[in-house]
Amino acid sequence: CNHCVMEIWFWLCLQFVWMAINIFLFVYFYFFYDLGPQFFYTRHLLGSALPWARAPAAVLNFNCMLILLPVCRNLLSLLRGSFVRCSRTMRKQLDKNLTFHKLVAYTIALMTAVHTIAHLFNLERFNNSRQGLGDELSAALSELADTENTTYLNPIPTYFAFTTIAGLTGVVITLALILIVTSSMEVIRRSYFEVFWYTHHLFIVFFAGLVFHGAGRIVRSQQRTNPPHNTTFCKDRPDDWGRIPECPIPQFAGGFPQTWMYVIGPMVIYLCERLVRFIRYMQRVRYKKIVMRPSKVLELQLIKNGFKMDVGQYVFVNCPAISQLEWHPFTMTSAPEEDFFSVHIRSAGDWTDKLIEIMKKVPEGAEGPKLGVDGPFGTASEDVFDYEVSMLIGAGIGVTPFASILKSIWYKFKDSDPKLRTRKIYFYWLCRETHAFEWFADLLQVLEKEMEERGMGDFLTYKLYLTGWDQSHATHVMVHFDKDTDVVTGLKQKTHYGRPIWDKEFEQVHVDPRKTRFYFNKENF
């Protein structure tokens, strides 16, 4: 698939550019602090720990500038709209926003570890020099006092980590980052989403500490004096500093804080993002229908003024009755041609369980609890309609985008849409348990019936695969094997057991690869 290859290469090129910038920043600032003459005395106190602390700091500034941008969903939608005349390959890269967010986060975590460890060595070197455990020059540099006529280089009094701005904010930032990273692990995020959600908001503490972290100006460089202080001549004569013209007392000053300049822009953009989300949250969402499907699947058919969607997109849903802060993503299962939008919500945690319980108690035809809806987001899957043959492959609840695609194709057929090129669809759905088929089987039954009535029974070929079953189920299937409809789904197409053998499936399709679109669904949120 040429499009797939182009998307992969484009994504790899973007990663290469990002990685190249990181490497350049690290190498440049490493040698800047390792070779710069203004840091000669600083290096004498700290050794190689100085560049090992400052180089990661530069990389951290760059990545902290980027970390918020991939989660600004409305910004991405704006960019996606700006790229509408560009190739889909470019627009599709925006759907990798969370992947890039994770890459940046891993880099921040790694660079923070290197930065922290290097500063621990710096702390030990400063402390040793203050106690006179180093050479004569180190002792002289540490004894420089911050008075009217001179300046200091060694910032260590006692309890440095908790008595300076840099030390205190550094501890707070590190603790916040540890909580954010550990709670973002897959096992935590899947099983305890609320823990992940709330600890992730420690990013506010992280960025607040980051802005003030450099205000202490702990890392100091030598300043020019008149007459100049010649380090080559004076480094071996600390007793003569201030006594002979060639060796005036060296002057030191901390660099101007720069981190805030990197992050202030993304922070403002993110604040605007949250403002837009709040405005959307306040817009009224009306219920058209609440349907409880089998297997603890809730279908919500909703109406919101001005809402427009495309197939394959998703929305974020908030229910204040459960939590004012939690927003959860769901792929829409309705078609753009319908006068509402719908989501199917499977019981998969505390939040979804509470929502299902609330909806069960709503009387038929009554309005449900207040909902906030933000979206739609994601690049539409409209390219499915550009191919004569489409192969759709989904697993479990990941089948939801295909409900939207199949519905939309059917509407386009009924309306004789000239833009529709699709003439054949192969649909594969893999599930572990029989109950998972039940809610989606209704849609397939309707499509199956209407297509037969129109003489288009060959338009849709679908195969459902059950990957988990027990002996009692197998016995039941064997007893009813001769029935016209499947005992699991009620469809004419019988359920297959086990996993598909893809080589055989592709052999049976017999299509021109240049006219076929292979579409494997993976949620992009």
Side-chain angles (χ1 to χ4, degrees):
C1 177
N2 292 332
H3 288 280
C4 299
V5 174
M6 288 179 61
E7 287 179 11
I8 293 173
W9 274 107
F10 199 88
W11 171 239
L12 291 176
C13 288
L14 290 177
Q15 289 186 78
F16 176 80
V17 171
W18 168 74
M19 184 61 70
I21 294 174
N22 280 301
I23 293 173
F24 169 78
L25 288 173
F26 190 96
V27 173
Y28 175 83
F29 280 96
Y30 182 92
F31 286 109
F32 178 78
Y33 285 94
D34 192 48
L35 301 177
Q38 67 271 41
F39 296 104
F40 179 84
Y41 284 137
T42 311
R43 285 195 302 272
H44 184 82
L45 284 182
L46 304 180
S48 60
L50 173 65
W52 276 106
R54 300 309 302 159
V59 178
L60 279 170
N61 287 340
F62 173 64
N63 285 279
C64 287
M65 178 184 70
L66 298 177
I67 190 68
L68 289 177
L69 299 179
V71 293
C72 292
R73 301 190 292 263
N74 291 286
L75 172 64
L76 296 181
S77 293
L78 180 64
L79 293 175
R80 190 175 287 109
S82 302
F83 292 159
V84 70
R85 294 184 179 275
C86 301
S87 67
R88 188 176 186 276
T89 299
M90 183 174 293
R91 286 181 284 130
K92 194 68 176 175
Q93 303 310 311
L94 296 176
D95 287 341
K96 296 184 173 67
N97 59 320
L98 291 188
T99 301
F100 183 67
H101 177 75
K102 292 175 184 178
L103 285 174
V104 173
Y106 293 147
T107 303
I108 290 176
L110 176 61
M111 291 297 104
T112 299
V114 177
H115 180 74
T116 302
I117 293 171
H119 269 319
L120 289 176
F121 281 105
N122 289 337
L123 188 64
E124 182 186 19
R125 297 281 184 86
F126 275 138
N127 189 56
N128 290 341
S129 298
R130 176 69 69 179
Q131 294 179 11
L133 300 179
D135 57 14
E136 183 182 2
L137 177 58
S138 298
L141 291 170
S142 296
E143 289 173 0
L144 292 176
D146 191 12
T147 63
E148 183 178 351
N149 298 320
T150 186
T151 185
Y152 72 90
L153 178 59
N154 189 335
I156 301 296
T158 54
Y159 307 110
F160 168 77
F162 300 101
T163 58
T164 65
I165 295 176
L168 183 59
T169 56
V171 171
V172 172
I173 288 171
T174 303
L175 290 177
L177 185 62
I178 289 173
L179 290 174
I180 291 172
V181 171
T182 53
S183 65
S184 300
M185 297 172 61
E186 186 79 11
V187 62
I188 301 294
R189 195 171 70 252
R190 293 291 183 184
S191 303
Y192 306 98
F193 184 84
E194 290 78 8
V195 174
F196 158 76
W197 180 265
Y198 288 114
T199 54
H200 233 60
H201 282 76
L202 287 173
F203 81 91
I204 299 173
V205 176
F206 177 85
F207 274 90
L210 202 63
V211 168
F212 295 102
H213 184 58
R217 306 189 182 192
I218 297 298
V219 178
R220 305 171 71 81
S221 61
Q222 185 177 348
Q223 305 298 298
R224 292 184 179 181
T225 57
N226 189 19
H229 180 96
N230 188 336
T231 55
T232 304
F233 177 76
C234 301
K235 63 183 177 64
D236 297 323
R237 298 174 174 83
D239 293 336
D240 294 333
W241 291 356
R243 297 179 179 178
I244 59 176
E246 295 83 1
C247 297
I249 295 176
Q251 304 292 306
F252 297 93
F256 182 75
Q258 297 183 349
T259 301
W260 68 272
M261 294 188 292
Y262 282 88
V263 300
I264 192 67
M267 289 172 68
V268 171
I269 293 174
Y270 188 78
L271 285 175
C272 295
E273 167 80 14
R274 296 307 291 250
L275 179 61
V276 171
R277 292 186 194 180
F278 179 75
I279 294 173
R280 286 184 170 179
Y281 166 76
M282 297 302 294
Q283 294 174 340
R284 186 187 175 193
V285 176
R286 305 192 310 276
Y287 291 82
K288 181 174 182 178
K289 198 173 183 181
I290 301 173
V291 184
M292 283 305 306
R293 299 291 185 184
S295 305
K296 290 186 178 181
V297 173
L298 169 68
E299 179 184 357
L300 296 179
Q301 297 181 7
L302 307 170
I303 299 174
K304 184 178 181 180
N305 292 336
F307 189 91
K308 294 181 180 180
M309 61 159 289
D310 288 308
V311 294
Q313 292 188 306
Y314 62 93
V315 293
F316 278 79
V317 178
N318 169 268
C319 182
I322 301 174
S323 171
Q324 292 279 355
L325 298 177
E326 288 187 50
W327 290 80
H328 293 260
F330 299 98
T331 302
M332 288 179 286
T333 53
S334 52
E337 292 82 2
E338 295 175 309
D339 60 355
F340 63 90
F341 65 95
S342 65
V343 292
H344 283 71
I345 301 173
R346 177 172 58 92
S347 174
D350 293 341
W351 190 90
T352 53
D353 288 342
K354 291 176 183 177
L355 181 65
I356 291 173
E357 289 302 317
I358 291 174
M359 294 302 177
K360 283 181 178 179
K361 298 175 182 177
V362 176
E364 187 174 353
E367 192 77 3
K370 174 180 171 59
L371 290 181
V373 174
D374 190 18
F377 301 110
T379 300
S381 304
E382 77 281 349
D383 63 330
V384 172
F385 309 133
D386 296 335
Y387 293 83
E388 293 183 6
V389 179
S390 291
M391 298 190 69
L392 313 178
I393 304 170
I397 199 68
V399 76
T400 47
F402 300 138
S404 178
I405 292 173
L406 293 174
K407 286 181 182 179
S408 185
I409 288 178
W410 182 241
Y411 278 112
K412 293 180 186 298
F413 256 112
K414 290 201 298 185
D415 298 337
S416 300
D417 190 335
K419 296 181 180 180
L420 180 65
R421 297 179 57 192
T422 309
R423 295 293 176 264
K424 180 70 176 178
I425 291 180
Y426 293 91
F427 173 54
Y428 296 83
W429 188 15
L430 289 71
C431 283
R432 293 179 181 175
E433 54 184 18
T434 58
H435 299 298
F437 289 120
E438 295 171 353
W439 71 270
F440 196 73
D442 295 340
L443 171 63
L444 292 177
Q445 284 180 341
V446 171
L447 292 176
E448 192 176 59
K449 181 179 178 181
E450 292 188 1
M451 287 177 184
E452 284 186 356
E453 290 176 354
R454 288 173 173 259
M456 298 168 51
D458 294 333
F459 173 76
L460 173 64
T461 297
Y462 60 89
K463 292 186 178 182
L464 310 183
Y465 287 83
L466 183 64
T467 58
W469 67 92
D470 54 25
Q471 186 59 42
S472 60
H473 177 79
T475 303
H476 180 69
V477 171
M478 292 177 62
V479 172
H480 300 87
F481 181 77
D482 294 333
K483 283 193 172 184
D484 294 334
T485 57
D486 185 68
V487 296
V488 176
T489 62
L491 297 166
K492 292 185 177 181
Q493 174 68 49
K494 298 297 181 70
T495 298
H496 299 263
Y497 294 86
R499 300 180 182 276
I501 302 175
W502 292 113
D503 290 340
K504 291 185 177 180
E505 296 298 327
F506 292 139
E507 288 177 4
Q508 294 174 4
V509 171
H510 289 303
V511 294
D512 185 349
R514 293 170 297 179
K515 299 180 180 180
T516 304
R517 173 63 168 169
F518 299 94
Y519 189 88
F520 178 82
N521 179 59
K522 185 180 186 301
E523 305 291 14
N524 51 11
F525 46 73

